[in-house]
Amino acid sequence: MAEQKKSLLRVHSYAKECHERSEQGYSDAALAGGHQPGLIQLELADKILNACRANSLWPMTFGIACCAIEMMVCGMARFDISRFGSEVFRPSPRQSDLMIVAGTVNRKLAPVLLTLYEQMPAPRYVIALGNCAVSGGPFDVEANYDVVLGVDKLIPVDVYVPGCPPRPEALIEGILQLQEKIAGKRNPFPQNRMPKGA
Amino acid sequence: MQTLNSYAPEIIRIVMAVVGGAVVVFGNALVMGYMERKLAGHFQRRTGPMEVGFHGLLQLVIDGIKLMSKQLVIPAKADKPLFMLAPIISFAPVFLPLLVIPFSDRIQGFDLDVGLLFVLAIASINVLAVLVAGWASNNKYSMFGAFRAVAQNVAYEIPMLLSLLAIVFMTNTFSLRGIVEAQTVWFIVLQPVAFIIYLICMVAETNRAPFDLAEAESELTAGFHTEYSGMSFSLFMMAEYTNMFIVSCIATVFFLGGTSGIPLPYFEYTGIIWFLLKVYLFMFFLVWIRWTYPRTRFDQLMNLCWKYLLPISLVNLLITVVVVKL
Amino acid sequence: MNVDVIEDERQHQFVLNMGPQHPSTHGVLRVLLKMEGEYVLDPQPVLGYVHRCHEKIGEYKPARAFMPNTARMDYLGALIYNQGYAMLLERAAGIEVPRRAEYIRVITSELNRIQSHLLWYGAYLLDLGAFTPIMYAFDDREHILDTLEDICGSRLTYCYCRVGGVCKDIDDKFIERTRAFIERLRGRLPMYEKLVNGNIIVQKRMKSVGNYTPELCARYGVTGPLLRAAGVEYDLRKAEPYSVYSEFDFEVPTEQQGDAWAAFNVRYREIEQSLRIVEQALDKLPEGEVMEAKVPKKLRLPQGDYNCSVEAPRGELSYYLVSDGSDIPYRIKVRTPSYSNLSVVPEVCKGMMIADVVTSMGALDLVIPEIDR
Amino acid sequence: MKAYFTELFTGAWSLIVGLTVTLKALFSPVVTVQYPRQKIDVTPNYRGHIDLIKDPETGTHRCITCGMCMRDCPSDCIYLEGEKQEGVKGKVLTLYTLDYTKCSHCGACVEVCPTQALDYCDDYEVAGFAREDFHYDLLKRVEERE
């Protein structure tokens, strides 16, 4: 019984793959699948699909530390990312398109992060929210022995949002930039006209 | 030649019914999805979808297309055939109950003598789909969700049927049109207790909050559809919305007089406007309570059913029988 | 001995892994649940998913440079953590703090406590499956954050206290906004009572879930609202008044049942008490400097060990610092309340349904980075 | 039996009361700020990343290259270099880089500066596609500012 419990507790040790990735960065082979060109190229269809993907980014409920609170605030009444169609925080990675890494990733969490990223169906996007996720932040000091210095060493990151923690506006800006990256067109559209009744 | 002629109008009717059913299912999912997100927004004092199309009108269309274009993940240790089958089992039968629902005096697939039984029978296939989905996913959370859904649906079908039976005793017919026609006074006035019981059972049958134990987000991540992605997930969602539509239709037929309402001049199909209005009133209610109440616990849910709803609906049925038959 | 029993156990029991990514663990806590059906036989929390070497970093830097780290341990009670650490260093270096600075610390700390409780209130109801209260709670919370941002410069992880005072004086605008907020929140509380506290589903979900007896709390070192929910009137602000808390008139809310509902009520009533403290502090606010002038640039702490405890939103927080006479501490140890509070989970949540485990853990008001440090 | 019905009715009543609250919210105005179109007035005290102040008298920064900020920074995010130049008293700043991705907004650098050469800037909506985007060259920023 004790043995069984111990082995259960040891599941997420700093896996070999994570160690390699954080030392050397991720290899292209690790990323294949998500960004492979399709067999048939249909430009118009791609354009439409990309526009759709950009405007319905469903984030995963995956808060790690301080920035998670600002991520929650983003979904709340004041800032309300539902205006851009991304308030549907899905608890299951299978149904989400966007992983907002909101907080510090350490060696114990790194394999979990990888698993979650790989459980998300393609196309998937990652936003590194906050200094810890961008580069290790205030923990990138001599005494640090556990924090992974930047989540981009483990998984490919699309948009970086620095700050400690960033204001919710910065996260919205990050989502808008991600939309621009996906669809090539910046939301909101048209740029500076308020919709009536808002 | 003779036979073909006699069959031709029937074929047209079938085609029309199928097309109509598809329109209702997909249209309802879009309208309901939009309504839910927008209403949720305003219940919480925010705007909801806003930037995608005028006031976010295109949001649901875009979500649908996105879900279709997502990768379909099948977990390595899942039971593949069953895993693929579950969303289809859930989604395919939702067309059938729409056939017997009298949307107006003229719009009805066919008037079945046992319309009510037909609807309830088909509606319970959904729970099979949930069970299959939970089992095939090979995920403990899904499994929990599936078991809860089965227990819940089996339990709540009883008071639901009993409350509706009270009305069947009054009208002496199972035919939905017959029931609509029998209502000189809306049955909500004559049978308020049955109405309230039906209302509660309706929420439980569709697995909506506060009885959404099958997909209890904070306990079981996403419940029975934890492992489903992309299109199969959206099939589940569409089935859920259509089931909501169907139970609301039944409520309208049984308690709010179906198509009755102030007739509009020069319009033969005026009934459908009233009908849909009432249906969406129920849908609004479902959304309203979802964004107001917390979730109940599983044993409390069962308590509510066996200790309160079942005895009260039985008593209600007895009283109805005594009053009607004496 | 009995083979049948063991086989039986294997057939019926299984392990459910809740977390690290799970909506109701408030972060990346992982709980291993040994289950039989819906019932939890043995819950075991697994920690360390946000371990960020805070204490080790503290040993490498001058004592003063640890201040931003304190805010990141518990991001919801950042100002209280700041205050505690500043008080520790002042105690060690023998620095007097101006009275106005003490008052400002109390005002900001209590505002911080209110926002922490409001966030917990919303998040707890979210755990129970209600989506709307969290929106209303966050709406009120935004007002506090705006007010605090005006003087502290950030919304969440403030670094406001300094050794010997606070870094920025408050102005009339701040006082005005705070008073307006007190008015507003008092007007909103009846709405919460109608929507949540009176709701039968909420009461049914929370009542008699968890059993925190005073003995259990003493055994595991549980402090804060949970201890008060068990009937022990212990609040550091009253028990050993630090700062200027002895000058205010407030109550320590307690309940007797020791379940989730009692903890819920204690926290809810604490919001009202904190409002009272802020109001009195604003009335009594003395004039003067906010920063002691004679604070050395390089803070050398005399050799010895120092301790300082404050009442954080989640319980008793205490800092322990060993100094070898240089400006870099030899050792910093932080006793965080959530860690002790979490340790009762295996005992309290035994035999519960899985939904109750969620309720019970929500009542603990966990902040995971504070547990792992 | 009495308890049974009391619970039923009080429970039902509490549920109805709850519904009125949300219904009232449905008809009250929204509190959302339509962010990209409409912005909150962020307080002037907001702590963004640090910036060198442009002195209106001299038209340049006030940094004397003492390196206090670099030494006091808890997370080593500031790096600056200076060199002796002919005809100028003290050192002249030649490089001032800030690795914003490590900053924790503690304000140590701003407070320690003997000439008050540093201040927080108001950029609260920064995001980018690479982490190098946030390695700011403050000297260049102060020159580019009008």
Side-chain angles (χ1 to χ4, degrees):
Chain A
M1 194 57 222
E3 274 303 305
Q4 195 190 352
K5 203 178 248 178
K6 261 186 197 164
S7 71
L8 275 169
L9 294 175
R10 227 186 288 122
V11 171
H12 293 311
S13 60
Y14 195 39
K16 193 165 160 252
E17 191 187 354
C18 290
H19 182 71
E20 275 168 12
R21 281 204 189 180
S22 90
E23 292 289 305
Q24 302 149 14
Y26 44 86
S27 63
D28 291 339
L31 301 178
H35 298 278
Q36 268 177 342
L39 200 61
I40 310 166
Q41 298 288 333
L42 297 167
E43 272 190 23
L44 184 66
D46 269 359
K47 236 177 180 173
I48 294 171
L49 285 184
N50 281 338
C52 292
R53 282 165 189 162
N55 283 306
S56 118
L57 291 166
W58 292 1
M60 181 165 54
T61 40
F62 182 47
I64 307 173
C66 334
C67 297
I69 304 291
E70 294 299 65
M71 183 176 84
M72 277 162 79
V73 167
C74 256
M76 297 301 150
R78 178 91 163 265
F79 298 97
D80 192 18
I81 44 172
S82 77
R83 290 175 292 129
F84 308 100
S86 40
E87 93 276 33
V88 193
F89 276 91
R90 296 306 310 176
S92 159
R94 301 269 188 225
Q95 294 147 15
S96 43
D97 320 297
L98 170 65
M99 180 196 251
I100 302 178
V101 185
T104 323
V105 180
N106 69 9
R107 283 160 181 246
K108 195 169 182 180
L109 191 66
V112 181
L113 193 83
L114 271 185
T115 314
L116 284 172
Y117 182 72
E118 273 154 17
Q119 278 177 341
M120 283 162 68
R124 51 202 168 182
Y125 310 98
V126 178
I127 288 183
L129 179 68
N131 281 348
C132 298
V134 174
S135 75
F139 304 100
D140 184 7
V141 287
E142 184 193 356
N144 159 46
Y145 53 86
D146 201 23
V147 175
V148 174
L149 302 178
V151 69
D152 53 359
K153 294 198 166 178
L154 300 168
I155 53 176
V157 175
D158 291 294
V159 172
Y160 297 80
V161 184
C164 196
R167 267 189 75 92
E169 279 99 344
L171 177 55
I172 296 179
E173 172 74 21
I175 288 175
L176 293 182
Q177 285 201 9
L178 181 60
Q179 292 182 345
E180 194 184 356
K181 188 175 179 177
I182 298 168
K185 197 183 262 178
R186 189 177 160 87
N187 247 355
F189 186 81
Q191 285 281 320
N192 43 16
R193 190 169 54 80
M194 270 304 288
K196 270 184 201 155
Chain B
M1 205 62 197
Q2 197 72 24
T3 46
L4 193 66
N5 269 345
S6 65
Y7 275 123
E10 198 61 20
I11 286 170
I12 292 170
R13 272 173 60 117
I14 290 170
V15 169
M16 273 175 70
V18 168
V19 171
V23 167
V24 169
V25 168
F26 288 101
N28 172 61
L30 290 183
V31 172
M32 224 15 241
Y34 179 70
M35 189 169 132
E36 171 137 33
R37 284 168 77 167
K38 205 71 185 168
L39 276 177
H42 282 279
F43 276 128
Q44 296 159 351
R45 307 192 64 186
R46 56 193 177 89
T47 50
M50 200 72 190
E51 302 285 351
V52 187
F54 179 74
H55 277 248
L57 276 172
L58 290 178
Q59 186 65 59
L60 263 290
V61 182
I62 277 184
D63 278 352
I65 297 173
K66 181 209 75 177
L67 282 173
M68 270 187 253
S69 75
K70 292 286 280 189
Q71 182 187 4
L72 278 177
V73 183
I74 301 175
K77 291 196 178 159
D79 190 335
K80 269 177 203 162
L82 281 184
F83 188 82
M84 298 299 276
L85 200 61
I88 300 167
I89 301 177
S90 169
F91 183 66
V94 297
F95 289 92
L96 291 174
L98 294 173
L99 290 177
V100 296
I101 289 169
F103 287 104
S104 93
D105 295 344
R106 294 208 163 192
I107 306 172
Q108 187 180 15
F110 51 87
D111 187 20
L112 210 60
D113 285 346
V114 286
L116 173 65
L117 292 184
F118 179 71
V119 171
L120 289 177
I122 301 289
S124 22
I125 294 180
N126 187 45
V127 72
L128 177 73
V130 172
L131 181 62
V132 169
W135 173 261
S137 296
N138 192 16
N139 179 323
K140 286 166 194 165
Y141 288 116
S142 307
M143 199 69 192
F144 265 126
F147 285 168
R148 285 177 174 194
V150 171
Q152 178 181 343
N153 284 31
V154 167
Y156 272 82
E157 246 160 41
I158 300 165
M160 188 176 193
L161 198 59
L162 285 179
S163 67
L164 293 180
L165 267 183
I167 286 170
V168 171
F169 270 110
M170 288 166 75
T171 56
N172 281 329
T173 173
F174 272 118
S175 147
L176 298 183
R177 179 182 291 245
I179 287 161
V180 171
E181 279 161 5
Q183 293 185 53
T184 44
V185 185
W186 287 1
F187 283 144
I188 186 174
V189 183
L190 302 179
Q191 288 280 3
V193 179
F195 175 68
I196 290 167
I197 290 169
Y198 180 79
L199 214 56
I200 296 169
C201 296
M202 169 174 124
V203 182
E205 275 293 293
T206 46
N207 286 340
R208 297 274 300 177
F211 303 133
D212 60 340
L213 290 153
E215 49 171 298
E217 196 175 293
S218 55
E219 293 151 29
L220 308 180
T221 55
F224 67 91
H225 53 58
T226 304
E227 295 286 351
Y228 282 90
S229 65
M231 201 55 210
S232 38
F233 168 63
S234 68
L235 283 182
F236 275 120
M237 290 321 276
M238 262 193 282
E240 182 188 323
Y241 282 134
T242 316
N243 278 334
M244 278 165 68
F245 185 77
I246 291 164
V247 290
S248 301
C249 284
I250 299 288
T252 311
V253 165
F254 273 77
F255 295 101
L256 291 189
T259 56
S260 67
I262 306 158
L264 302 175
Y266 312 118
F267 188 47
E268 287 182 306
Y269 299 98
T270 176
I272 195 165
I273 295 176
W274 291 113
F275 191 84
L276 287 181
L277 216 63
K278 289 168 193 168
V279 167
Y280 278 95
L281 194 73
F282 279 107
M283 303 281 239
F284 172 77
F285 177 75
L286 283 173
V287 174
W288 188 10
I289 59 167
R290 172 169 182 190
W291 299 103
T292 305
Y293 298 141
R295 185 179 303 118
T296 53
R297 206 170 59 206
F298 188 63
D299 55 334
Q300 289 163 0
L301 182 84
M302 288 294 154
N303 263 352
L304 180 69
C305 179
W306 299 114
K307 279 194 194 161
Y308 291 91
L309 298 183
L310 193 63
I312 294 174
S313 60
L314 269 175
V315 170
N316 184 52
L317 185 62
L318 262 176
I319 294 171
T320 313
V321 170
V322 169
V323 169
V324 168
K325 297 295 166 192
L326 284 186
Chain C
M1 223 53 226
N2 195 335
V3 181
D4 286 330
V5 172
I6 294 168
E7 271 187 6
D8 205 30
E9 213 172 59
R10 279 195 192 152
Q11 274 172 5
H12 292 283
Q13 295 177 358
F14 58 96
V15 173
L16 185 69
N17 184 18
M18 196 160 118
Q21 184 262 339
H22 189 278
S24 71
T25 50
H26 297 254
V28 281
L29 177 68
R30 175 166 167 233
V31 188
L32 280 175
L33 304 166
K34 202 162 116 197
M35 316 264 304
E36 187 174 328
E38 282 250 348
Y39 288 92
V40 177
L41 298 180
D42 182 21
Q44 287 293 340
V46 183
L47 309 180
Y49 286 95
V50 237
H51 176 62
R52 304 194 271 189
C53 0
H54 277 296
E55 287 169 3
K56 196 72 189 168
I57 288 174
E59 293 165 21
Y60 274 74
K61 292 196 289 194
R64 203 185 254 153
F66 190 61
M67 191 68 87
N69 285 58
T70 60
R72 275 149 193 84
M73 268 188 242
D74 179 358
Y75 38 81
L76 295 181
L79 276 164
I80 300 170
Y81 272 60
N82 273 347
Q83 186 193 10
Y85 190 64
M87 274 165 58
L88 171 79
L89 294 189
E90 282 149 12
R91 194 175 284 180
I95 297 166
E96 276 288 309
V97 183
R99 269 181 68 76
R100 187 178 170 85
E102 289 280 21
Y103 268 80
I104 293 173
R105 280 183 186 177
V106 167
I107 293 169
T108 49
S109 293
E110 291 305 317
L111 285 177
N112 208 244
R113 194 187 309 275
I114 296 170
Q115 70 91 3
S116 169
H117 282 352
L118 277 177
L119 186 138
W120 161 83
Y121 189 85
Y124 191 21
L125 266 296
L126 193 64
D127 284 353
L128 298 185
F131 294 88
T132 303
I134 190 171
M135 298 280 176
Y136 298 163
F138 269 63
D139 189 16
D140 287 333
R141 185 174 166 266
E142 285 292 324
H143 287 257
I144 304 183
L145 295 188
D146 278 356
T147 318
L148 287 179
E149 190 184 20
D150 203 18
I151 54 162
C152 309
S154 1
R155 282 164 56 87
L156 206 60
T157 49
Y158 317 99
C159 189
Y160 181 56
C161 294
R162 295 284 183 271
V163 180
V166 292
C167 69
K168 197 171 185 315
D169 197 0
I170 61 176
D171 48 11
D172 292 342
K173 195 175 149 212
F174 174 84
I175 296 173
E176 204 176 289
R177 283 173 91 164
T178 314
R179 283 193 194 282
F181 169 75
I182 294 172
E183 197 82 341
R184 178 197 156 89
L185 190 59
R186 287 209 170 130
R188 294 269 286 183
L189 288 180
M191 186 276 290
Y192 287 119
E193 265 154 42
K194 269 194 201 162
L195 179 63
V196 178
N197 298 24
N199 193 311
I200 179 112
I201 302 176
V202 173
Q203 293 188 8
K204 287 251 171 194
R205 280 295 299 271
M206 289 186 199
K207 274 183 185 165
S208 63
V209 171
N211 181 22
Y212 305 96
T213 55
E215 293 76 42
L216 182 84
C217 293
R219 204 139 42 85
Y220 284 97
V222 175
T223 47
L226 274 180
L227 181 62
R228 297 195 277 278
V232 183
E233 195 180 337
Y234 178 73
D235 186 325
L236 274 180
R237 291 174 294 170
K238 270 273 196 249
E240 327 166 5
Y242 55 92
S243 194
V244 285
Y245 275 109
S246 54
E247 296 170 25
F248 304 119
D249 169 37
F250 65 100
E251 288 160 21
V252 179
T254 51
E255 297 273 339
Q256 297 304 322
Q257 300 88 345
D259 52 10
W261 176 240
F264 179 85
N265 271 322
V266 165
R267 284 214 179 81
Y268 183 75
R269 283 160 60 195
E270 261 177 35
I271 295 177
E272 176 60 32
Q273 296 306 323
S274 289
L275 284 178
R276 269 178 72 190
I277 297 176
V278 175
E279 207 169 32
Q280 290 171 38
L282 286 177
D283 287 338
K284 288 189 196 166
L285 189 66
E287 291 298 315
E289 287 296 304
V290 292
M291 191 75 190
E292 171 67 35
K294 297 188 297 273
V295 180
K297 284 237 150 158
K298 198 168 187 180
L299 197 69
R300 274 182 197 284
L301 304 177
Q303 203 165 3
D305 53 343
Y306 307 97
N307 183 28
C308 177
S309 304
V310 289
E311 182 75 24
R314 273 152 279 279
E316 183 180 339
L317 156 77
S318 75
Y319 288 102
Y320 179 70
L321 187 145
V322 183
S323 173
D324 56 358
S326 70
D327 63 332
I328 296 173
Y330 177 73
R331 172 89 169 95
I332 289 182
K333 167 88 181 85
V334 191
R335 184 250 187 237
T336 48
S338 282
Y339 182 80
S340 313
N341 292 2
L342 178 74
S343 61
V344 295
V345 162
E347 195 138 332
V348 168
C349 297
K350 210 170 265 181
M352 279 182 178
M353 294 181 86
I354 184 166
D356 281 344
V357 173
V358 171
T359 316
S360 187
M361 292 218 316
L364 298 173
D365 188 11
L366 299 173
V367 169
I368 311 302
E370 180 199 22
I371 298 170
D372 289 339
R373 274 162 282 156
Chain D
M1 201 60 193
K2 198 185 161 204
Y4 178 90
F5 282 106
T6 341
E7 193 180 23
L8 194 66
F9 285 113
T10 50
W13 179 244
S14 75
L15 295 181
I16 292 166
V17 167
L19 282 179
T20 60
V21 173
T22 38
L23 192 66
K24 215 168 131 196
L26 181 64
F27 294 110
S28 23
V30 294
V31 294
T32 310
V33 179
Q34 304 283 331
Y35 159 66
R37 305 172 192 280
Q38 183 189 2
K39 294 189 180 179
I40 298 177
D41 314 322
V42 171
T43 160
N45 296 327
Y46 179 73
R47 289 187 191 170
H49 63 81
I50 51 165
D51 239 343
L52 288 165
I53 300 172
K54 195 162 198 167
D55 198 339
E57 285 167 26
T58 57
T60 181
H61 59 86
R62 286 197 291 252
C63 179
I64 53 168
T65 332
C66 65
M68 290 281 273
C69 43
M70 187 160 75
R71 245 170 290 133
D72 254 37
C73 180
S75 39
D76 312 329
C77 54
I78 299 171
Y79 180 73
L80 57 88
E81 271 175 11
E83 58 179 27
K84 284 296 270 182
Q85 273 182 8
E86 288 291 316
V88 189
K89 215 174 83 184
K91 275 183 179 172
V92 174
L93 187 67
T94 54
L95 179 69
Y96 198 117
T97 55
L98 167 74
D99 184 354
Y100 182 45
T101 60
K102 289 188 192 174
C103 175
S104 60
H105 303 178
C106 67
C109 43
V110 175
E111 277 160 39
V112 81
C113 186
T115 56
Q116 276 90 45
L118 290 171
D119 197 4
Y120 312 105
C121 76
D122 302 338
D123 293 350
Y124 61 89
E125 30 183 20
V126 279
F129 297 123
R131 53 157 106 169
E132 285 74 28
D133 292 0
F134 314 111
H135 296 187
Y136 296 113
D137 186 349
L138 297 191
L139 207 56
K140 216 159 106 194
R141 278 176 68 96
V142 77
E143 276 160 17
E144 277 166 6
R145 228 173 322 150
E146 79 292 340

